[in-house]
Amino acid sequence: MLFQLLVQVSKRVAGTSGRLAKIKLLADLLKQASADEIEIVIAYLSGTIRQAKVGVGWATLQKAKSHVGASASLQIRDVDETLEKISRMSGKGSAGEKQRQLSDLFSRATAEEQDFLFRLLTGELRQGALEGIMVEALAKARDLPANEVRRAMMLAGDLTAVAKGDLSSFTIQVFRPLKPMLAKTATDVEEALAELGPASFEYKLDGIRIQVHKKASEVRIYSRTLNDITAELPTVVDNSRILEMTEAILDGEAIVLSAEKRPVRFQETMKGLGGGIPFFFDILYLDGTSLLDQPYSTRAKILAEHVPESQRPRRIVTADAKQAQDFFDAAIAAGQEGLMAKGLESTYEAGRRGGAWFKVKQANTLDLVVLAAEWGHGRRHGKLSNLHLGARDPANGGFVMLGKTFKGMTDELLDWQTKRLQEIETHRDGIVVYVRPELVVEIAFNGLQDSPHYPGGLALRFARVIRYRDDKKPEDADTIETVRKLHGT
Ligand code: AMP
């Protein structure tokens, strides 16, 4: 397929407001892609590339741009092959060679294609919001029901894998991890009740998400990002092995308890996780049967039949705001982070924050994306210090800046971020180093105020860093709507 075709469809999709019209444009393009191209087409249309990292900065890309646009003869395969080559280059002399390859690629592209490539490689095209539409487009192109494609995507981890394979090969199976279901933020229990109706309220434990797969005495544990972390969590393995289930997939959180049986804060948890114990709050699969499509109330009942109460977070089911608030207060008093509220009828939406799970926290915290950082002065000379923070803007696929912070950083964190941010640098302007919007950072703040300076009209007060969330992608960051709701606007 000609790269030009993809670039033009991408442009038309961006210029079309109707969902159905976008789906049609994308489906028509997907139909034209050959079996070995479809993965690349879906990736580029979503603003990503198949290679995890090509390791070229903004300046290199700027230099690679050619002044004379070529005629449209570049194939998408050419683009992918060049990026593959570049991503494999490392070591001495690789920077020059990368530059040479990129310049060659750009010189074979039209002006419009160059512009697309540039934005693709700087991460500017990245559009999480497009995922739902892509699912429907692929379903339409293949003449399949959209919900089956969606389910396969949850199990496969991403849509490109589904596009390459056969739908029936994506079934839930022990030792094949699936993306965990995610939560949205609710300001308080009342908001959660208004969204869900009667709900299950559970202690929100502050540890790390675990997905435990078990077959007889064999146990594997996967992280939120689907890495196998079995070796790091021996106590979780031991506790899971003795559960009376032949084959099961359980969803939960591993936490560390102090001698007084109080939860240890996350930062310290990271150090002592080997002794972390599991708490299970969901069951996704049992003895040959998928439970993903069962309502949460049924899954919770099955879970309770197989996992002792001492290994489940405390929970109540209620429609009463006062009762929910009392339970929230009890959770905070017990040293927990807050509550999770879950819709009783909801199915398990792997990999999605579909709106059936809400977190209600005590502290004002947001997961924001680092957009840039400023060089520090004085003691912080030579360090990237003041972070520019943005919330996700699903409507436009970008990020809205909400403020800056240089607070809450240890020396270790400063060193780490100085190095890491320069790796994803796009360009500089004075003391500001702009970066690709890839890192998610959890920020505490004391409130929000109206601001004429920032594009969203809102600014964080007394923002400070809690920790980087390397388990989250920019698509998982909080949205500007959530922030507006917190502000009551
Ligand atoms: P957050 O990471 O702040 O978006 O909050 C969601 C996370 O809370 C989940 O990914 C789990 O790791 C964690 N969590 C703790 N307790 C629960 C619970 N009872 N139900 C679901 N998730 C929980």
Side-chain angles (χ1 to χ4, degrees):
M1 177 186 285
L2 278 178
F3 187 48
Q4 178 69 13
L5 191 59
L6 185 148
V7 171
Q8 269 167 5
V9 169
S10 164
K11 204 168 163 182
R12 284 170 63 197
V13 169
T16 307
S17 54
R19 187 179 163 89
L20 288 177
K22 283 185 202 259
I23 292 170
K24 177 153 186 347
L25 283 168
L26 292 168
D28 287 345
L29 183 73
L30 291 178
K31 271 192 214 155
Q32 294 175 55
S34 64
D36 58 340
E37 285 172 333
I38 195 146
E39 189 188 358
I40 312 172
V41 174
I42 291 181
Y44 291 1
L45 287 171
S46 315
T48 59
I49 55 177
R50 281 191 328 125
Q51 295 73 19
K53 214 172 166 182
V54 287
V56 289
W58 194 83
T60 312
L61 285 167
Q62 247 329 346
K63 263 192 258 160
K65 275 194 177 171
S66 165
H67 297 296
V68 268
S71 62
S73 61
L74 203 56
Q75 297 282 324
I76 59 161
R77 253 188 237 120
D78 301 332
V79 178
D80 183 64
E81 273 163 23
T82 307
L83 296 182
E84 186 65 30
K85 253 193 255 164
I86 294 177
S87 73
R88 289 173 192 277
M89 288 174 189
S90 63
K92 210 162 157 253
S94 66
E97 185 52 24
K98 280 184 179 182
Q99 178 85 58
R100 208 186 59 70
Q101 290 279 350
L102 270 181
S103 300
D104 180 58
L105 179 67
F106 273 85
S107 74
R108 289 154 63 204
T110 64
E112 208 178 25
E113 289 170 343
Q114 291 192 28
D115 179 57
F116 183 93
L117 267 178
F118 186 82
R119 288 186 295 137
L120 179 68
L121 296 173
T122 50
E124 277 172 52
L125 280 178
R126 194 179 189 124
Q127 297 180 49
L130 212 63
E131 195 176 73
I133 289 179
M134 283 302 285
V135 167
E136 294 198 32
L138 182 64
K140 194 174 166 78
R142 293 275 170 85
D143 221 1
L144 290 164
N147 59 349
E148 281 179 26
V149 175
R150 196 170 297 118
R151 164 54 46 82
M153 180 184 73
M154 290 173 183
L155 294 169
D158 70 81
L159 193 61
T160 53
V162 178
K164 271 192 308 183
D166 166 12
L167 270 201
S168 61
S169 64
F170 303 106
T171 52
I172 185 164
Q173 267 178 35
V174 178
F175 306 133
R176 186 192 277 176
L178 60 145
K179 286 192 182 180
M181 179 157 171
L182 305 171
K184 289 188 176 179
T185 305
T187 30
D188 49 32
V189 291
E190 267 178 49
E191 194 197 1
L193 280 172
E195 293 280 346
L196 299 172
S200 170
F201 287 91
E202 308 168 6
Y203 279 12
K204 182 176 190 304
L205 314 171
D206 188 14
I208 63 159
R209 185 80 175 258
I210 48 170
Q211 193 176 95
V212 173
H213 291 226
K214 170 181 154 75
K215 187 170 190 171
S217 64
E218 197 181 342
V219 171
R220 302 252 123 223
I221 305 165
Y222 302 95
S223 70
R224 181 186 157 124
T225 44
L226 312 190
N227 292 318
D228 187 328
I229 50 170
T230 314
E232 290 157 49
L233 300 166
T235 317
V236 174
V237 174
D238 293 345
N239 277 285
S240 307
R241 187 171 286 141
I242 53 175
L243 293 173
E244 285 177 18
M245 281 174 281
T246 316
E247 262 199 357
I249 301 178
L250 297 163
D251 191 3
E253 188 91 353
I255 63 163
V256 176
L257 292 179
S258 69
E260 298 78 41
K261 292 263 183 287
R262 283 179 71 84
V264 176
R265 288 191 40 235
F266 178 84
Q267 273 94 337
E268 286 110 63
T269 302
M270 286 313 277
K271 294 178 201 134
L273 260 183
I277 51 168
F279 280 81
F280 297 111
F281 46 73
D282 212 328
I283 179 161
L284 316 184
Y285 178 84
L286 180 67
D287 297 336
T289 308
S290 166
L291 302 176
L292 296 174
D293 292 323
Q294 298 294 327
Y296 184 59
S297 52
T298 306
R299 301 200 309 276
K301 190 164 161 281
I302 296 175
L303 182 75
E305 283 162 11
H306 292 87
V307 174
E309 199 175 352
S310 60
Q311 285 190 42
R312 285 181 273 128
R314 285 198 52 199
R315 84 186 264 267
I316 59 167
V317 173
T318 185
D320 181 63
K322 166 86 175 63
Q323 227 183 343
Q325 183 60 43
D326 289 347
F327 193 57
F328 178 85
D329 296 340
I332 299 300
Q336 308 293 2
E337 234 192 331
L339 294 180
M340 295 288 301
K342 302 179 182 175
L344 298 174
E345 298 302 321
S346 62
T347 57
Y348 193 87
E349 294 178 76
R352 295 182 48 167
R353 48 185 85 260
W357 286 14
F358 284 92
K359 52 184 169 185
V360 190
K361 292 208 251 183
Q362 167 86 323
N364 275 332
T365 68
L366 286 168
D367 295 327
L368 300 175
V369 174
V370 180
L371 305 176
E374 295 172 12
W375 290 108
H377 33 81
R379 215 173 75 78
R380 291 198 176 179
H381 183 77
K383 305 273 183 236
L384 281 175
S385 169
N386 207 5
L387 299 176
H388 295 200
L389 305 164
R392 198 155 57 83
D393 181 4
N396 302 311
F399 298 90
V400 183
M401 185 162 166
L402 287 177
K404 304 182 190 178
T405 186
F406 52 83
K407 299 209 176 75
M409 298 167 185
T410 60
D411 287 346
E412 207 181 348
L413 187 134
L414 274 171
D415 286 344
W416 177 85
Q417 86 181 12
T418 302
K419 184 161 165 284
R420 186 72 187 94
L421 290 170
Q422 286 181 88
E423 284 168 13
I424 56 169
E425 166 175 355
T426 59
H427 61 292
R428 297 185 183 201
D429 186 5
I431 58 162
V432 186
V433 173
Y434 290 88
V435 298
R436 287 201 298 271
E438 288 178 4
L439 298 182
V440 178
V441 63
E442 189 173 341
I443 297 291
F445 58 101
N446 289 13
L448 288 154
Q449 63 197 26
D450 293 318
S451 159
H453 301 302
Y454 290 121
L458 274 180
L460 300 171
R461 294 182 60 231
F462 301 112
R464 57 211 178 266
V465 171
I466 299 181
R467 63 177 188 257
Y468 274 93
R469 295 291 306 245
D470 51 10
D471 59 334
K472 294 204 173 185
K473 296 211 187 102
E475 299 87 280
D476 301 326
D478 280 308
T479 62
I480 184 74
E481 285 125 53
T482 298
V483 181
R484 293 218 164 94
K485 259 201 264 163
L486 287 174
H487 187 51
T489 49

